[in-house]
Amino acid sequence: IRTRFVGRRKPGFRMVPSITTLKGFLEKYSSEVELLPEGTKVRFLASNHEMKADNIPAMLAYIQGKAYVKAKKKQQNEVYDFAAHEPFIVPHKSHDNLLYCTLTNTTLPKDAELVKRHIQGRKFIHHKEQHDQKERAKQEREEKRKARMEATAEHNGHQNGND
């Protein structure tokens, strides 16, 4: 008898891997799960959720579920260094869970993936190029001003020496 999936698959649909033993589960998800000392429970590291170790299908459902994926994403965002993008992406003044882009005047969620996408986006790149051009022009003006000041000082020094 052949079975097939009838109907449309939802966007978040994932096939559940065929893991039947606790050992297989712990091997596959060793970086995300730890077996507690009593040996009857497992702890999911991202969410600190504990579950009985004898119910493999429930553990698989949890590790692929919305709550665990969200907890894992939150843990990754806590580790990410948002300060690396700092003159342009700064903490929001009134909301701790948001960031603010000073180039594009955009409010961003504190999500590493979204910040990376924003930095690689067309709007950010365009505004960054404009900012860099203005900075280069400013440096050139400053160098010309210093050169004029030195030339003036040199010229004044020669006039005073000839008297």
Side-chain angles (χ1 to χ4, degrees):
I1 297 173
R2 287 186 182 160
T3 59
R4 64 186 183 118
F5 187 83
V6 179
R8 290 180 38 207
R9 287 188 175 161
K10 294 181 181 176
F13 180 80
R14 280 176 260 161
M15 297 297 288
V16 177
S18 58
I19 297 174
T20 56
T21 64
L22 179 61
K23 184 179 176 185
F25 181 81
L26 292 173
E27 285 175 4
K28 178 151 177 70
Y29 298 106
S30 62
S31 63
E32 300 180 44
V33 177
E34 69 178 0
L35 186 64
L36 294 179
E38 61 258 12
T40 59
K41 288 185 175 183
V42 292
R43 177 182 292 135
F44 296 89
L45 300 176
S47 62
N48 283 329
H49 181 69
E50 294 180 7
M51 210 177 239
K52 288 185 179 178
D54 60 353
N55 195 350
I56 305 293
M59 291 191 299
L60 285 169
Y62 179 73
I63 208 163
Q64 294 175 342
K66 184 177 174 181
Y68 186 74
V69 170
K70 191 174 181 180
K72 195 167 144 182
K73 192 173 188 180
K74 183 179 178 184
Q75 185 182 43
Q76 290 170 348
N77 286 336
E78 288 173 358
V79 174
Y80 189 76
D81 181 26
F82 292 105
H85 309 292
E86 224 173 51
F88 306 118
I89 301 210
V90 295
H92 197 278
K93 287 182 180 177
S94 55
H95 300 285
D96 293 339
N97 61 334
L98 297 175
L99 299 167
Y100 182 75
C101 178
T102 57
L103 287 178
T104 61
N105 296 327
T106 306
T107 301
L108 302 165
K110 218 175 216 182
D111 182 351
E113 194 61 35
L114 292 176
V115 170
K116 288 176 189 175
R117 277 193 3 219
H118 178 74
I119 289 172
Q120 295 168 354
R122 222 178 329 157
K123 186 176 180 181
F124 182 86
I125 291 171
H126 174 72
H127 283 83
K128 179 132 174 42
E129 287 171 356
Q130 286 183 338
H131 178 267
D132 291 344
Q133 285 176 351
K134 287 179 184 177
E135 287 295 315
R136 281 194 298 272
K138 194 184 223 182
Q139 285 178 347
E140 289 172 6
R141 283 194 308 270
E142 185 66 27
E143 288 171 6
K144 285 180 184 177
R145 188 185 68 77
K146 284 183 181 177
R148 277 196 314 267
M149 297 281 283
E150 289 174 4
T152 305
E154 203 174 282
H155 180 69
N156 290 339
H158 285 295
Q159 284 183 350
N160 291 339
N162 291 338
D163 288 342

PDB file of all heavy atoms in Angstrom, residues 63-87:
ATOM      1  N   ILE A  63      10.921  20.016  19.499  1.00  0.00           N
ATOM      2  CA  ILE A  63      12.156  20.608  18.979  1.00  0.00           C
ATOM      3  C   ILE A  63      11.934  21.249  17.609  1.00  0.00           C
ATOM      4  O   ILE A  63      12.667  22.143  17.212  1.00  0.00           O
ATOM      5  CB  ILE A  63      13.299  19.573  18.950  1.00  0.00           C
ATOM      6  CG1 ILE A  63      14.636  20.283  19.080  1.00  0.00           C
ATOM      7  CG2 ILE A  63      13.270  18.724  17.692  1.00  0.00           C
ATOM      8  CD1 ILE A  63      15.771  19.396  19.471  1.00  0.00           C
ATOM      9  N   GLN A  64      10.892  20.818  16.903  1.00  0.00           N
ATOM     10  CA  GLN A  64      10.576  21.418  15.606  1.00  0.00           C
ATOM     11  C   GLN A  64       9.434  22.418  15.707  1.00  0.00           C
ATOM     12  O   GLN A  64       9.039  23.020  14.718  1.00  0.00           O
ATOM     13  CB  GLN A  64      10.217  20.331  14.598  1.00  0.00           C
ATOM     14  CG  GLN A  64      11.383  19.448  14.281  1.00  0.00           C
ATOM     15  CD  GLN A  64      11.018  18.304  13.372  1.00  0.00           C
ATOM     16  OE1 GLN A  64       9.852  17.974  13.228  1.00  0.00           O
ATOM     17  NE2 GLN A  64      12.026  17.714  12.768  1.00  0.00           N
ATOM     18  N   GLY A  65       8.912  22.599  16.899  1.00  0.00           N
ATOM     19  CA  GLY A  65       7.756  23.461  17.096  1.00  0.00           C
ATOM     20  C   GLY A  65       8.100  24.929  17.211  1.00  0.00           C
ATOM     21  O   GLY A  65       9.251  25.334  17.345  1.00  0.00           O
ATOM     22  N   LYS A  66       7.061  25.729  17.178  1.00  0.00           N
ATOM     23  CA  LYS A  66       7.171  27.181  17.172  1.00  0.00           C
ATOM     24  C   LYS A  66       7.852  27.721  18.435  1.00  0.00           C
ATOM     25  O   LYS A  66       8.714  28.599  18.356  1.00  0.00           O
ATOM     26  CB  LYS A  66       5.762  27.750  17.047  1.00  0.00           C
ATOM     27  CG  LYS A  66       5.660  29.227  16.919  1.00  0.00           C
ATOM     28  CD  LYS A  66       4.191  29.585  16.734  1.00  0.00           C
ATOM     29  CE  LYS A  66       3.967  31.067  16.741  1.00  0.00           C
ATOM     30  NZ  LYS A  66       2.540  31.386  16.586  1.00  0.00           N
ATOM     31  N   ALA A  67       7.493  27.201  19.596  1.00  0.00           N
ATOM     32  CA  ALA A  67       8.034  27.718  20.857  1.00  0.00           C
ATOM     33  C   ALA A  67       9.542  27.497  20.940  1.00  0.00           C
ATOM     34  O   ALA A  67      10.294  28.409  21.336  1.00  0.00           O
ATOM     35  CB  ALA A  67       7.341  27.051  22.038  1.00  0.00           C
ATOM     36  N   TYR A  68      10.008  26.315  20.561  1.00  0.00           N
ATOM     37  CA  TYR A  68      11.441  26.031  20.657  1.00  0.00           C
ATOM     38  C   TYR A  68      12.220  26.815  19.605  1.00  0.00           C
ATOM     39  O   TYR A  68      13.292  27.353  19.891  1.00  0.00           O
ATOM     40  CB  TYR A  68      11.717  24.540  20.511  1.00  0.00           C
ATOM     41  CG  TYR A  68      13.164  24.214  20.757  1.00  0.00           C
ATOM     42  CD1 TYR A  68      13.682  24.235  22.031  1.00  0.00           C
ATOM     43  CD2 TYR A  68      14.027  23.942  19.712  1.00  0.00           C
ATOM     44  CE1 TYR A  68      15.015  23.977  22.275  1.00  0.00           C
ATOM     45  CE2 TYR A  68      15.365  23.676  19.929  1.00  0.00           C
ATOM     46  CZ  TYR A  68      15.849  23.697  21.219  1.00  0.00           C
ATOM     47  OH  TYR A  68      17.173  23.452  21.452  1.00  0.00           O
ATOM     48  N   VAL A  69      11.682  26.898  18.400  1.00  0.00           N
ATOM     49  CA  VAL A  69      12.362  27.655  17.347  1.00  0.00           C
ATOM     50  C   VAL A  69      12.496  29.121  17.767  1.00  0.00           C
ATOM     51  O   VAL A  69      13.542  29.748  17.573  1.00  0.00           O
ATOM     52  CB  VAL A  69      11.605  27.513  16.006  1.00  0.00           C
ATOM     53  CG1 VAL A  69      12.142  28.473  14.967  1.00  0.00           C
ATOM     54  CG2 VAL A  69      11.692  26.080  15.503  1.00  0.00           C
ATOM     55  N   LYS A  70      11.460  29.656  18.386  1.00  0.00           N
ATOM     56  CA  LYS A  70      11.482  31.041  18.855  1.00  0.00           C
ATOM     57  C   LYS A  70      12.511  31.221  19.980  1.00  0.00           C
ATOM     58  O   LYS A  70      13.260  32.202  20.004  1.00  0.00           O
ATOM     59  CB  LYS A  70      10.091  31.431  19.337  1.00  0.00           C
ATOM     60  CG  LYS A  70       9.911  32.886  19.606  1.00  0.00           C
ATOM     61  CD  LYS A  70       8.454  33.190  19.937  1.00  0.00           C
ATOM     62  CE  LYS A  70       8.254  34.653  20.199  1.00  0.00           C
ATOM     63  NZ  LYS A  70       6.858  34.960  20.530  1.00  0.00           N
ATOM     64  N   ALA A  71      12.560  30.274  20.913  1.00  0.00           N
ATOM     65  CA  ALA A  71      13.527  30.340  22.018  1.00  0.00           C
ATOM     66  C   ALA A  71      14.959  30.249  21.489  1.00  0.00           C
ATOM     67  O   ALA A  71      15.859  30.953  21.972  1.00  0.00           O
ATOM     68  CB  ALA A  71      13.261  29.225  23.015  1.00  0.00           C
ATOM     69  N   LYS A  72      15.173  29.402  20.498  1.00  0.00           N
ATOM     70  CA  LYS A  72      16.494  29.239  19.904  1.00  0.00           C
ATOM     71  C   LYS A  72      16.927  30.525  19.189  1.00  0.00           C
ATOM     72  O   LYS A  72      18.072  30.957  19.311  1.00  0.00           O
ATOM     73  CB  LYS A  72      16.440  28.070  18.917  1.00  0.00           C
ATOM     74  CG  LYS A  72      17.753  27.543  18.474  1.00  0.00           C
ATOM     75  CD  LYS A  72      17.511  26.224  17.771  1.00  0.00           C
ATOM     76  CE  LYS A  72      18.450  26.042  16.634  1.00  0.00           C
ATOM     77  NZ  LYS A  72      18.222  24.820  15.897  1.00  0.00           N
ATOM     78  N   LYS A  73      15.992  31.144  18.475  1.00  0.00           N
ATOM     79  CA  LYS A  73      16.279  32.391  17.778  1.00  0.00           C
ATOM     80  C   LYS A  73      16.610  33.499  18.782  1.00  0.00           C
ATOM     81  O   LYS A  73      17.537  34.288  18.578  1.00  0.00           O
ATOM     82  CB  LYS A  73      15.075  32.786  16.934  1.00  0.00           C
ATOM     83  CG  LYS A  73      15.325  33.885  15.969  1.00  0.00           C
ATOM     84  CD  LYS A  73      14.094  34.058  15.087  1.00  0.00           C
ATOM     85  CE  LYS A  73      14.360  35.012  13.970  1.00  0.00           C
ATOM     86  NZ  LYS A  73      13.195  35.196  13.109  1.00  0.00           N
ATOM     87  N   LYS A  74      15.877  33.541  19.895  1.00  0.00           N
ATOM     88  CA  LYS A  74      16.130  34.537  20.937  1.00  0.00           C
ATOM     89  C   LYS A  74      17.521  34.357  21.531  1.00  0.00           C
ATOM     90  O   LYS A  74      18.249  35.319  21.758  1.00  0.00           O
ATOM     91  CB  LYS A  74      15.068  34.429  22.027  1.00  0.00           C
ATOM     92  CG  LYS A  74      15.197  35.463  23.112  1.00  0.00           C
ATOM     93  CD  LYS A  74      14.104  35.327  24.142  1.00  0.00           C
ATOM     94  CE  LYS A  74      14.286  36.354  25.239  1.00  0.00           C
ATOM     95  NZ  LYS A  74      13.299  36.199  26.297  1.00  0.00           N
ATOM     96  N   GLN A  75      17.907  33.095  21.744  1.00  0.00           N
ATOM     97  CA  GLN A  75      19.225  32.794  22.299  1.00  0.00           C
ATOM     98  C   GLN A  75      20.319  33.238  21.316  1.00  0.00           C
ATOM     99  O   GLN A  75      21.337  33.806  21.726  1.00  0.00           O
ATOM    100  CB  GLN A  75      19.339  31.297  22.569  1.00  0.00           C
ATOM    101  CG  GLN A  75      20.613  30.883  23.251  1.00  0.00           C
ATOM    102  CD  GLN A  75      20.687  29.386  23.445  1.00  0.00           C
ATOM    103  OE1 GLN A  75      20.346  28.633  22.543  1.00  0.00           O
ATOM    104  NE2 GLN A  75      21.135  28.966  24.601  1.00  0.00           N
ATOM    105  N   GLN A  76      20.120  33.013  20.029  1.00  0.00           N
ATOM    106  CA  GLN A  76      21.106  33.427  19.033  1.00  0.00           C
ATOM    107  C   GLN A  76      21.219  34.947  18.974  1.00  0.00           C
ATOM    108  O   GLN A  76      22.314  35.484  18.795  1.00  0.00           O
ATOM    109  CB  GLN A  76      20.728  32.876  17.656  1.00  0.00           C
ATOM    110  CG  GLN A  76      20.899  31.387  17.547  1.00  0.00           C
ATOM    111  CD  GLN A  76      20.290  30.817  16.272  1.00  0.00           C
ATOM    112  OE1 GLN A  76      19.549  31.494  15.570  1.00  0.00           O
ATOM    113  NE2 GLN A  76      20.594  29.567  15.990  1.00  0.00           N
ATOM    114  N   ASN A  77      20.094  35.654  19.127  1.00  0.00           N
ATOM    115  CA  ASN A  77      20.115  37.112  19.099  1.00  0.00           C
ATOM    116  C   ASN A  77      20.824  37.692  20.311  1.00  0.00           C
ATOM    117  O   ASN A  77      21.414  38.763  20.229  1.00  0.00           O
ATOM    118  CB  ASN A  77      18.696  37.674  18.994  1.00  0.00           C
ATOM    119  CG  ASN A  77      18.120  37.497  17.616  1.00  0.00           C
ATOM    120  OD1 ASN A  77      18.847  37.377  16.634  1.00  0.00           O
ATOM    121  ND2 ASN A  77      16.811  37.471  17.533  1.00  0.00           N
ATOM    122  N   GLU A  78      20.772  36.996  21.454  1.00  0.00           N
ATOM    123  CA  GLU A  78      21.473  37.467  22.640  1.00  0.00           C
ATOM    124  C   GLU A  78      22.975  37.371  22.462  1.00  0.00           C
ATOM    125  O   GLU A  78      23.728  38.171  23.003  1.00  0.00           O
ATOM    126  CB  GLU A  78      21.030  36.668  23.865  1.00  0.00           C
ATOM    127  CG  GLU A  78      19.623  36.999  24.311  1.00  0.00           C
ATOM    128  CD  GLU A  78      19.119  36.094  25.416  1.00  0.00           C
ATOM    129  OE1 GLU A  78      19.850  35.167  25.827  1.00  0.00           O
ATOM    130  OE2 GLU A  78      17.975  36.304  25.855  1.00  0.00           O
ATOM    131  N   VAL A  79      23.426  36.412  21.679  1.00  0.00           N
ATOM    132  CA  VAL A  79      24.844  36.206  21.447  1.00  0.00           C
ATOM    133  C   VAL A  79      25.373  37.166  20.375  1.00  0.00           C
ATOM    134  O   VAL A  79      26.516  37.584  20.419  1.00  0.00           O
ATOM    135  CB  VAL A  79      25.103  34.735  21.023  1.00  0.00           C
ATOM    136  CG1 VAL A  79      26.540  34.507  20.629  1.00  0.00           C
ATOM    137  CG2 VAL A  79      24.710  33.800  22.141  1.00  0.00           C
ATOM    138  N   TYR A  80      24.523  37.552  19.426  1.00  0.00           N
ATOM    139  CA  TYR A  80      24.947  38.380  18.290  1.00  0.00           C
ATOM    140  C   TYR A  80      25.376  39.764  18.759  1.00  0.00           C
ATOM    141  O   TYR A  80      24.758  40.372  19.626  1.00  0.00           O
ATOM    142  CB  TYR A  80      23.799  38.502  17.284  1.00  0.00           C
ATOM    143  CG  TYR A  80      24.210  39.158  15.986  1.00  0.00           C
ATOM    144  CD1 TYR A  80      24.945  38.471  15.042  1.00  0.00           C
ATOM    145  CD2 TYR A  80      23.878  40.477  15.721  1.00  0.00           C
ATOM    146  CE1 TYR A  80      25.326  39.067  13.860  1.00  0.00           C
ATOM    147  CE2 TYR A  80      24.247  41.083  14.541  1.00  0.00           C
ATOM    148  CZ  TYR A  80      24.968  40.375  13.616  1.00  0.00           C
ATOM    149  OH  TYR A  80      25.343  40.970  12.444  1.00  0.00           O
ATOM    150  N   ASP A  81      26.448  40.290  18.158  1.00  0.00           N
ATOM    151  CA  ASP A  81      26.996  41.592  18.524  1.00  0.00           C
ATOM    152  C   ASP A  81      26.442  42.664  17.583  1.00  0.00           C
ATOM    153  O   ASP A  81      26.950  42.870  16.491  1.00  0.00           O
ATOM    154  CB  ASP A  81      28.519  41.548  18.444  1.00  0.00           C
ATOM    155  CG  ASP A  81      29.153  42.858  18.845  1.00  0.00           C
ATOM    156  OD1 ASP A  81      28.526  43.599  19.628  1.00  0.00           O
ATOM    157  OD2 ASP A  81      30.275  43.137  18.379  1.00  0.00           O
ATOM    158  N   PHE A  82      25.370  43.334  18.022  1.00  0.00           N
ATOM    159  CA  PHE A  82      24.762  44.383  17.209  1.00  0.00           C
ATOM    160  C   PHE A  82      25.640  45.632  17.173  1.00  0.00           C
ATOM    161  O   PHE A  82      25.510  46.466  16.289  1.00  0.00           O
ATOM    162  CB  PHE A  82      23.372  44.742  17.740  1.00  0.00           C
ATOM    163  CG  PHE A  82      22.373  43.633  17.563  1.00  0.00           C
ATOM    164  CD1 PHE A  82      21.971  42.865  18.632  1.00  0.00           C
ATOM    165  CD2 PHE A  82      21.846  43.364  16.322  1.00  0.00           C
ATOM    166  CE1 PHE A  82      21.057  41.847  18.470  1.00  0.00           C
ATOM    167  CE2 PHE A  82      20.929  42.353  16.138  1.00  0.00           C
ATOM    168  CZ  PHE A  82      20.530  41.589  17.216  1.00  0.00           C
ATOM    169  N   ALA A  83      26.548  45.772  18.128  1.00  0.00           N
ATOM    170  CA  ALA A  83      27.429  46.936  18.188  1.00  0.00           C
ATOM    171  C   ALA A  83      28.416  46.960  17.023  1.00  0.00           C
ATOM    172  O   ALA A  83      29.010  48.004  16.739  1.00  0.00           O
ATOM    173  CB  ALA A  83      28.186  46.953  19.507  1.00  0.00           C
ATOM    174  N   ALA A  84      28.581  45.851  16.326  1.00  0.00           N
ATOM    175  CA  ALA A  84      29.494  45.801  15.188  1.00  0.00           C
ATOM    176  C   ALA A  84      29.026  46.718  14.057  1.00  0.00           C
ATOM    177  O   ALA A  84      29.828  47.155  13.239  1.00  0.00           O
ATOM    178  CB  ALA A  84      29.617  44.367  14.681  1.00  0.00           C
ATOM    179  N   HIS A  85      27.731  47.015  14.015  1.00  0.00           N
ATOM    180  CA  HIS A  85      27.187  47.853  12.949  1.00  0.00           C
ATOM    181  C   HIS A  85      26.972  49.280  13.441  1.00  0.00           C
ATOM    182  O   HIS A  85      26.198  50.023  12.863  1.00  0.00           O
ATOM    183  CB  HIS A  85      25.834  47.286  12.487  1.00  0.00           C
ATOM    184  CG  HIS A  85      25.881  45.839  12.151  1.00  0.00           C
ATOM    185  ND1 HIS A  85      26.565  45.345  11.070  1.00  0.00           N
ATOM    186  CD2 HIS A  85      25.342  44.756  12.761  1.00  0.00           C
ATOM    187  CE1 HIS A  85      26.432  44.040  11.033  1.00  0.00           C
ATOM    188  NE2 HIS A  85      25.696  43.659  12.053  1.00  0.00           N
ATOM    189  N   GLU A  86      27.704  49.688  14.498  1.00  0.00           N
ATOM    190  CA  GLU A  86      27.249  50.813  15.258  1.00  0.00           C
ATOM    191  C   GLU A  86      27.260  52.201  14.685  1.00  0.00           C
ATOM    192  O   GLU A  86      26.388  52.912  15.007  1.00  0.00           O
ATOM    193  CB  GLU A  86      27.799  50.863  16.643  1.00  0.00           C
ATOM    194  CG  GLU A  86      26.637  51.213  17.486  1.00  0.00           C
ATOM    195  CD  GLU A  86      26.898  51.173  18.939  1.00  0.00           C
ATOM    196  OE1 GLU A  86      27.853  51.769  19.402  1.00  0.00           O
ATOM    197  OE2 GLU A  86      26.111  50.574  19.613  1.00  0.00           O
ATOM    198  N   PRO A  87      27.963  52.760  13.929  1.00  0.00           N
ATOM    199  CA  PRO A  87      27.583  54.156  13.726  1.00  0.00           C
ATOM    200  C   PRO A  87      26.247  54.282  13.007  1.00  0.00           C
ATOM    201  O   PRO A  87      25.569  55.285  13.125  1.00  0.00           O
ATOM    202  CB  PRO A  87      28.712  54.743  12.910  1.00  0.00           C
ATOM    203  CG  PRO A  87      29.448  53.591  12.350  1.00  0.00           C
ATOM    204  CD  PRO A  87      29.106  52.386  13.167  1.00  0.00           C
TER     205      PRO A  87
END
